[in-house]
Amino acid sequence: MYNTLLLAILVISVLLIIVITMQPTKTNSASSALTGGAEQLFGKQKARGFEAVLQRVTVVLGIGFFVLALALAYLTANGMK
């Protein structure tokens, strides 16, 4: 069980790296780097198409990574390798 979860967390982490690097950058100018991109945070820009799919996949993989990390920590703490 431990080895299966460890393999799953490794696969999810590699997929998460790939999905994050595929996402387009949001910065358009040097001013957005200085202000922290606040104009995009409060703007009404919704992701569409491929960008929206990448954002959803990133969230799902992130949640999966977190859950598997907690499960591995629980198994390790209880000595159930």
Side-chain angles (χ1 to χ4, degrees):
M1 175 95 171
Y2 180 83
N3 289 334
T4 305
L5 290 177
L6 188 61
L7 180 65
I9 203 166
L10 288 173
V11 169
I12 286 179
S13 61
V14 169
L15 289 174
L16 197 55
I17 291 169
I18 292 170
V19 169
I20 289 173
T21 57
M22 287 176 60
Q23 291 183 359
T25 59
K26 302 275 185 185
T27 57
N28 294 329
S29 64
S31 66
S32 64
L34 295 175
T35 60
E39 62 272 359
Q40 290 180 357
L41 176 64
F42 298 114
K44 299 275 184 184
Q45 299 175 353
K46 281 193 169 185
R48 295 184 180 161
F50 186 64
E51 189 175 338
V53 172
L54 285 179
Q55 286 180 355
R56 288 185 190 126
V57 169
T58 303
V59 169
V60 169
L61 287 174
I63 291 170
F65 182 84
F66 185 71
V67 168
L68 286 176
L70 288 176
L72 283 173
Y74 177 78
L75 287 177
T76 303
N78 290 330
M80 296 183 200
K81 286 188 176 184

